[in-house]
Amino acid sequence: MLSSYFSQRFRASIIVLIVALLIVSASGCASLAVTPVKPILQATAVYSTLQATATPVIEPTRAASATPSDTPTPAPTATDTPTPTPTLVVVPPRGKNEMGVNVSILASLVISATPAPTPVFPLELPRDTINVLLLGSDNRPGEKIGRTDTIIVASINPQANYVSLLSIPRDLYVFIPGLDRFDRINTVDIYANRAKLGRPVELLAETIRYNLGIPVHYYARINFAGVQEMIDRVNGVDVLAHCALYDVFPDLPAGQNDIITDTAQLSTVPTGTINIPVPGLYNLDGKHALWFARSRYSTNDFDRSRRQQAVLRGLWSKIKEQGLVGQLPSLWNDVTQIVDTNLNVNDVAYLATFGLQLDDARIKQRSIDRAALESFTTATGAQVLLIAPDRVPLVIGEAFTAPLSNVAAQAAAQVEVVNGSGRKNWELLATDRLTSQGFIVPRYEIAEQPITRTQIINYQTTNKGSRLNQLLRIFNLKADRVINQPTENSSIAFRLLIGPDFDTCKSPTALIAFPAPTPTSTPEGGVPPTVDPNLSPLVTPTLEQATPTPEPVTPTPEQPTPTVELPTPTPIP
């Protein structure tokens, strides 16, 4: 069971996030597989503003005359004064098959004293690249549109034979073109629907392109109830939990609103829990898998993104095991009842075929995380995340760059994992972290003797092309944890020895070397340029501020017993 888990794990990650959304219950362009996406030329935004000059109106008058005359003096003729044409922000044109809306933005546009930001130049992607926007929504019963709480761009490059998966945080604070406002990216659908701007997903695609430079060609959207139904149809999923997790959710019948944020109201309805006592591999039914993916208040959005991807990977594994890929044509009508997409059954079949051919090292999983963002609070107290213009482009550029495919690069990525921590399934957690960063794990095993601390054995005979530093950052290790044992013709580059100090929940150290921040002058009013002045930065203590005296530590009270007892997810032996 365990060995087969990773044999399927990343080989099909593209289908995990596309077919898993479409296949269980699979219109768009039938030429998806053959129509190239042309590179988009970069354009320079223009920000000059023309000021209209008031022209006095010439009133007709009569000439004064001492002698009356039968012939009236003609009035001067009014001359039309041309009105200067306002200068528009140059928005780069969309490429072939690219989603979006046509927007006109005045270069002089100011929102709450903040100028509209410049559109980001679109990525110059390789020919035939296909970007699919994967969306999960929290629609309440009776609502057509809800907040988009899961946003993932799956970029498929058939020519270079690789896939990139990029998660976009729901609280990313962006400029919404066409609506001329700043807000969280997960609210775009709601505003677009209210403004009657056509399909809301088109404006979301335009917003992603404007703020991040990522073109979108196709999309697939499913609400959380649809995910639960899919998982129950395949009799549950196996998921890797990197962190312990406990949360309480409303346990209401289907069709009732189970999105309750008020604690007082939550105490008035039946509830259930998601309880992951320790990190490891768990089997979850549809209800618990949905709670596992949605839980946010006890962790954060970045951990939630990782859990959402784990659920979808587990769903794809079950789809493969049960042979549902071959049943796609007969299931398509059922799928379209719970999934909104402009992909058709032939598109999904093509993507499935491509995904099955991928090697583990040809798939990237990335996210725009806190290392590339800045935390702010709005005037209303809402916490949001701002794009750091010197960091986010580096994250996106690395995410959409093809992995190295030469023999030397493949050899430098080979890592054997040995679990000597005494913790069950930690070899799987380490393998998951490695493969998500493009490493290859040919085998993993349980150590015969306990390993006291996590270490890396380096078998490489040269530093050229070595990925040792990246490996250290992935596991938050320092150089003193490396044991050098250069070995000619070694089948692996490294052996990772997992000890009990391996923090499975801690995110890796930043894998991209960001430039040191350059001090910039703050304009009058204390608001950074191109940032909504309704925002104020989170307060960071300085040396001049008094350090508060630590409060005495008191024992944490026991978690409340849920009103309805539900089975605890079963760890897989």
Side-chain angles (χ1 to χ4, degrees):
M1 179 70 178
L2 296 184
S3 60
S4 64
Y5 180 85
F6 274 103
S7 67
Q8 301 174 26
R9 154 72 166 79
F10 276 98
R11 190 177 304 279
S13 286
I14 176 57
I15 320 306
V16 164
L17 295 173
I18 297 177
V19 180
L21 286 175
L22 303 174
I23 210 175
V24 182
S25 42
S27 81
C29 177
S31 61
L32 170 67
V34 296
T35 302
V37 179
K38 296 181 179 179
I40 303 171
L41 298 178
Q42 296 182 350
T44 303
V46 179
Y47 276 86
S48 59
T49 304
L50 297 179
Q51 299 293 332
T53 302
T55 302
V57 178
I58 302 176
E59 295 289 344
T61 59
R62 292 181 180 272
S65 175
T67 305
S69 173
D70 292 336
T71 304
T73 302
T77 303
T79 303
D80 292 335
T81 302
T83 302
T85 302
T87 303
L88 299 177
V89 171
V90 178
V91 180
R94 291 191 299 276
K96 188 173 183 180
N97 293 341
E98 188 178 338
M99 295 176 60
V101 295
N102 295 324
V103 296
S104 296
I105 303 171
L106 295 179
S108 58
L109 174 64
V110 175
I111 305 169
S112 300
T114 301
T118 310
V120 175
F121 291 153
L123 289 171
E124 294 187 2
L125 298 171
R127 183 182 177 87
D128 292 340
T129 296
I130 304 162
N131 288 346
V132 182
L133 186 60
L134 307 169
L135 307 170
S137 299
D138 67 349
N139 301 40
R140 273 73 168 173
E143 287 184 343
K144 295 180 64 175
I145 296 292
R147 290 176 184 262
T148 305
D149 279 355
T150 300
I151 306 174
I152 301 172
V153 178
S155 184
I156 304 103
N157 187 329
Q159 284 193 343
N161 197 38
Y162 81 96
V163 168
S164 294
L165 307 173
L166 180 68
S167 293
I168 300 173
R170 63 193 290 277
D171 290 333
L172 191 67
Y173 204 69
V174 294
F175 173 72
I176 306 176
L179 298 180
D180 296 345
R181 63 177 296 152
F182 293 94
D183 215 315
R184 286 188 174 101
I185 195 169
N186 73 328
T187 65
V188 173
D189 278 355
I190 295 177
Y191 289 127
N193 188 54
R194 291 174 182 172
K196 308 298 183 184
L197 294 178
R199 288 192 306 170
V201 71
E202 296 280 359
L203 183 60
L204 179 57
E206 187 69 32
T207 301
I208 290 173
R209 179 174 179 268
Y210 193 100
N211 290 270
L212 301 175
I214 302 173
V216 174
H217 309 108
Y218 301 91
Y219 77 97
R221 182 202 302 278
I222 188 171
N223 61 33
F224 289 136
V227 173
Q228 179 175 337
E229 180 180 348
M230 286 183 174
I231 292 172
D232 284 335
R233 289 192 182 195
V234 297
N235 299 317
V237 294
D238 299 337
V239 300
L240 274 175
H242 286 258
C243 306
L245 181 69
Y246 182 90
D247 210 343
V248 180
F249 284 87
D251 186 26
L252 300 173
Q256 292 190 25
N257 180 20
D258 65 347
I259 303 174
I260 300 175
T261 57
D262 181 25
T263 305
Q265 185 182 358
L266 185 63
S267 64
T268 66
V269 300
T271 58
T273 62
I274 177 68
N275 184 16
I276 304 293
V278 295
L281 185 64
Y282 289 81
N283 180 264
L284 306 177
D285 62 14
K287 181 186 297 184
H288 287 87
L290 180 58
W291 292 346
F292 177 76
R294 289 175 65 180
S295 178
R296 180 166 63 97
Y297 294 104
S298 60
T299 55
N300 56 61
D301 276 342
F302 302 104
D303 182 54
R304 184 167 72 159
S305 294
R306 180 166 60 180
R307 283 184 272 112
Q308 289 168 349
Q309 294 195 19
V311 169
L312 292 176
R313 289 197 303 266
L315 179 56
W316 168 246
S317 294
K318 282 298 187 76
I319 289 171
K320 284 188 62 180
E321 290 173 6
Q322 298 179 18
L324 295 177
V325 175
Q327 301 177 34
L328 176 58
S330 63
L331 295 173
W332 185 254
N333 288 336
D334 290 336
V335 171
T336 54
Q337 299 301 311
I338 59 176
V339 178
D340 174 32
T341 181
N342 60 349
L343 292 161
N344 62 32
V345 63
N346 293 327
D347 299 336
V348 178
Y350 164 74
L351 294 173
T353 302
F354 174 72
L356 291 172
Q357 299 170 355
L358 287 177
D359 183 77
D360 295 355
R362 308 301 298 169
I363 300 169
K364 284 185 173 183
Q365 286 191 104
R366 298 293 188 268
S367 64
I368 303 176
D369 58 18
R370 288 193 181 277
L373 303 170
E374 298 175 359
S375 297
F376 270 73
T377 56
T378 65
T380 59
Q383 295 185 356
V384 297
L385 299 167
L386 299 180
I387 295 171
D390 60 337
R391 284 172 274 168
V392 168
L394 297 179
V395 172
I396 295 174
E398 191 277 334
F400 286 85
T401 300
L404 296 176
S405 57
N406 57 65
V407 175
Q410 294 292 310
Q414 300 277 337
V415 183
E416 182 180 275
V417 176
V418 181
N419 181 11
S421 66
R423 274 61 165 183
K424 185 181 295 185
N425 296 332
W426 274 22
E427 69 280 4
L428 300 183
L429 297 174
T431 299
D432 181 71
R433 184 171 289 198
L434 286 165
T435 51
S436 69
Q437 297 298 326
F439 283 88
I440 300 170
V441 180
R443 58 186 175 272
Y444 54 81
E445 62 186 27
I446 307 300
E448 296 180 358
Q449 299 294 328
I451 296 174
T452 57
R453 64 177 191 162
T454 302
Q455 293 179 298
I456 298 172
I457 301 178
N458 178 16
Y459 296 105
Q460 295 178 309
T461 57
T462 176
N463 291 329
K464 184 178 180 180
S466 175
R467 298 182 66 179
L468 177 59
N469 287 333
Q470 183 184 5
L471 191 58
L472 289 170
R473 291 195 296 271
I474 290 174
F475 290 93
N476 300 295
L477 299 175
K478 296 184 178 180
D480 62 358
R481 296 296 186 94
V482 178
I483 303 172
N484 290 307
Q485 294 183 5
T487 303
E488 291 288 346
N489 302 319
S490 174
S491 61
I492 58 174
F494 309 99
R495 175 173 286 134
L496 177 65
L497 308 177
I498 298 295
D501 58 342
F502 171 36
D503 190 343
T504 64
C505 194
K506 184 177 181 181
S507 299
T509 305
L511 302 178
I512 297 177
F514 295 124
T518 302
T520 56
S521 59
T522 302
E524 184 178 353
V527 180
T530 72
V531 174
D532 189 339
N534 290 324
L535 301 177
S536 58
L538 296 175
V539 177
T540 302
T542 62
L543 292 178
E544 289 74 26
Q545 293 174 317
T547 303
T549 304
E551 295 288 338
V553 178
T554 56
T556 302
E558 274 191 346
Q559 297 285 359
T561 303
T563 308
V564 175
E565 292 293 336
L566 294 173
T568 300
T570 306
I572 297 177

